[in-house]
Amino acid sequence: MFGKSIMTASLILLSAVANALPAQNYSEESEFLRGLRLYRTGVYSGARSVFENISDKDPRAEGYAILCAIKTKASGYQNLVRDYTLKHAGSAMSGLLYFNTGLSLFDEMKYSEAAAAFSRVKRSSLSKEDAYELLYKTGYCYF
């Protein structure tokens, strides 16, 4: 009898705690992870579609949707980058967006524009390999 009352009390307490926690939409998180898998495998159009479906609820998804736009050289991607960085000032994603913008412009041989994009990137926001690429390509732009 005593064991049943402890179990019942535990279930009631667990239920109360679960109801008190902020609700999270796990389907949005799983969609984000699905988009991330597509992005990491180079399926940028598909990833962009997934990220755009949840971007109004998740700034990370909005940033990744813009990264996909950069990777596919979608029309107006530079405006998307600018708008994102204004809306989410100080976001860690901003450096990645400007770095990828610079890479895209560099590949198009628009070196002065690439240098301007690279100048907005903090090396500390990049991986070691990307930081080296940033330094090399920035120098090349000024050559």
Side-chain angles (χ1 to χ4, degrees):
M1 182 77 157
F2 182 70
K4 277 187 169 183
S5 62
I6 289 179
M7 185 177 281
T8 304
S10 296
L11 289 172
I12 291 171
L13 181 61
L14 182 61
S15 175
V17 168
N19 288 332
L21 292 174
Q24 290 187 356
N25 191 334
Y26 293 105
S27 66
E28 287 174 12
E29 188 63 23
S30 65
E31 280 297 288
F32 178 81
L33 293 174
R34 186 169 74 93
L36 202 53
R37 277 191 302 274
L38 290 169
Y39 177 83
R40 288 180 175 159
T41 57
V43 185
Y44 301 121
S45 294
R48 184 178 181 188
S49 177
V50 170
F51 288 132
E52 284 178 342
N53 285 335
I54 58 172
S55 66
D56 58 330
K57 298 174 187 104
D58 188 342
R60 297 173 308 163
E62 184 180 358
Y64 272 100
I66 296 168
L67 277 174
C68 292
I70 295 167
K71 296 286 189 183
T72 59
K73 299 187 186 324
S75 176
Y77 74 84
Q78 291 177 346
N79 293 332
L80 295 173
V81 171
R82 185 196 65 238
D83 293 346
Y84 180 90
T85 56
L86 290 173
K87 182 177 175 184
H88 303 286
S91 166
M93 183 66 77
S94 296
L96 196 54
L97 292 171
Y98 278 114
F99 177 65
N100 280 276
T101 297
L103 293 177
S104 180
L105 293 166
F106 185 90
D107 290 345
E108 295 172 20
M109 293 188 251
K110 297 179 178 177
Y111 300 121
S112 62
E113 292 176 51
F118 288 147
S119 72
R120 302 197 65 170
V121 180
K122 292 181 183 173
R123 281 194 337 223
S124 61
S125 70
L126 300 174
S127 69
K128 188 176 181 179
E129 294 80 19
D130 287 346
Y132 286 137
E133 186 173 13
L134 173 71
L135 288 172
Y136 173 78
K137 290 190 173 176
T138 299
Y140 190 94
C141 288
Y142 290 112
F143 176 64

